[in-house]
Amino acid sequence: MSFINNGWLMKLYMKEGETAIVYSPALDLSGYGPNLEEADKDFHNAVTIFLDECKNNGTLHDAFTALGWKQINSHWQPQMEVLSGSAVEEFKVPV
């Protein structure tokens, strides 16, 4: 199934404790595993399940629209823009 027309899909690679995480803001989907390779496999499995379920239920248009994607001709594209200067910032949680 073609849903990105010669485009991109941003994935963030993170680690929380001993767990590797792959997250795509454009799809709001994650994959987890003991290392990035396994997390990436889990992520691709989650994407496959998501797309299959949307296709089987006829909800692909609604799902992508809810995620902020735009349909250009017969292809869907995420409308997320990566800005330079993105950063990880420290913050304090009041107790």
Side-chain angles (χ1 to χ4, degrees):
M1 173 186 300
S2 174
F3 67 100
I4 300 176
N5 187 15
N6 296 323
W8 51 268
L9 183 63
M10 182 176 66
K11 295 189 297 186
L12 303 174
Y13 296 90
M14 301 168 279
K15 190 161 185 161
E16 187 172 297
E18 296 298 314
T19 303
I21 303 164
V22 177
Y23 173 68
S24 172
L27 291 173
D28 198 19
L29 292 175
S30 300
Y32 304 88
N35 56 52
L36 285 177
E37 183 180 334
E38 291 300 317
D40 207 40
K41 286 179 189 176
D42 190 55
F43 172 79
H44 285 283
N45 187 48
V47 171
T48 298
I49 291 168
F50 169 74
L51 293 175
D52 286 346
E53 288 296 315
C54 286
K55 183 179 176 188
N56 292 338
N57 293 315
T59 58
L60 189 63
H61 182 275
D62 292 340
F64 278 166
T65 299
L67 289 166
W69 289 49
K70 301 289 181 202
Q71 189 171 15
I72 300 171
N73 299 319
S74 62
H75 299 280
W76 285 94
Q77 293 184 336
Q79 298 300 297
M80 188 165 292
E81 181 180 349
V82 178
L83 302 175
S84 63
S86 297
V88 175
E89 295 182 4
E90 179 182 3
F91 69 97
K92 298 180 188 224
V93 178
V95 289

